[in-house]
Each structure stands twice: as C-alpha cells, then as structure tokens.
Amino acid sequence: MIKTLANAVHLTYTNDTGTAMAIGEVIALPTSSGHRQAAMVENDNTKNGSLADDEEGQVLIRGRILAVKSSTVAFAQGQTVWWDASENEATNAAGATTMDDFVVGMCTVAAATADAQVELDLNWGPDGYSIASSSSSSSSSSSSSSSSSSSSSSSSSSA
C-alpha cells in the first residue's frame, strides 16, 4: 500500500487499460513526449475502492509518498527509485529489468534492506519525469546502436 505524505499534485485520469486499478496502485502514464510519468491512483468517482475501466478518477503525479519496496534493496537519500511493475514494488535500477518498469521518483530518506517502505518524491530527481519539461529519461534508455556493416571498400589503388 502507498501513503501520500505531502505536496500533492493531482490529475484527472480516465482509466482506459481494460482492467480496474486499485486505489494506491502505482501506474505509468504515457505523455505527449513519448515518455512515461509515474502516477498513483488516489480515488474514484464511485467510491468503490478501485478505478474501473472507462471510469474517471484522480491520480497523484507529484508528491511525497511511502511506497512498498523490494526486500532485496536498500536506498540512499537522493537515489533514483524505480517501479517494478511485475512485482508491484519499488526497486533500484538493477531490479528494473523489463520495459514495463519505470522511474517513480527520488528517495528522500535512506531505507535499509530490512525496511518495508521507501519514502520518495514522485516524479522528482535527475531521472524522474519533469512536468515542466519533456526531456526526461523516465523510460528505459535503449539506445540502439545499429552497427551497419556496410563496408564500402572504395580503395583506390594508385599505380
């Protein structure tokens, strides 16, 4: 479960995923720049505890939250926190191994491996999605270097 602590910025969101989203669930919202922005489902208009498909509700896109974290990682203050979508928990860059994983924010208070939660600023930090700017690296940077082996052998031999 995730708990909102402070500095909240909300966004009205219509769930178009085909499935219901639980209140407190961390999701990745697509942006116009093609990046993904972390969000936490906060409430629904029907007050049934989840945001049904095609239902409108509020998501948190900026604020300090407590998030469930992996029991195998520790976080230093200021460290980038990733969201492991398959495990539904905060992790570090090494634990973010699929394309569904995304940067969720920046750790605000150091968390030991034994800690169950990490305090973080949602969409904040050097790798977090910036609301004011579209130059973010919140999606996995997969720079595909296409090694074109077009060896143009235009060797001119001089006699």
Side-chain angles (χ1 to χ4, degrees):
M1 186 57 149
I2 296 181
K3 179 182 172 190
T4 305
L5 295 178
N7 303 323
V9 175
H10 306 272
L11 176 73
T12 300
Y13 171 72
T14 302
N15 178 6
D16 61 356
T17 63
T19 61
M21 298 174 167
I23 303 303
E25 184 174 340
V26 174
I27 60 173
L29 300 178
T31 65
S32 59
S33 65
H35 293 91
R36 294 180 294 167
Q37 175 179 351
M40 183 188 77
V41 179
E42 282 230 299
N43 64 32
D44 59 338
N45 291 335
T46 59
K47 308 294 184 227
N48 65 3
S50 67
L51 189 60
D53 187 38
D54 289 329
E55 184 181 12
E56 188 176 88
Q58 295 291 309
V59 294
L60 180 72
I61 57 171
R62 180 64 53 87
R64 185 159 293 171
I65 64 172
L66 288 174
V68 172
K69 69 170 216 44
S70 169
S71 62
T72 62
V73 298
F75 291 99
Q77 184 177 11
Q79 181 177 349
T80 298
V81 179
W82 286 75
W83 191 256
D84 182 335
S86 62
E87 296 295 325
N88 215 18
E89 64 186 9
T91 189
N92 58 16
T97 57
T98 72
M99 291 302 291
D100 291 335
D101 300 339
F102 54 94
V103 171
V104 71
M106 184 178 70
C107 176
T108 56
V109 176
T113 306
D115 292 337
Q117 297 178 317
V118 59
E119 182 178 301
L120 62 97
D121 281 339
L122 192 62
N123 291 312
W124 200 258
D127 296 317
Y129 180 79
S130 170
I131 295 170
S133 163
S134 64
S135 61
S136 165
S137 58
S138 65
S139 60
S140 300
S141 60
S142 57
S143 57
S144 59
S145 57
S146 58
S147 56
S148 58
S149 56
S150 59
S151 48
S152 54
S153 57
S154 58
S155 27
S156 55
S157 58
S158 55

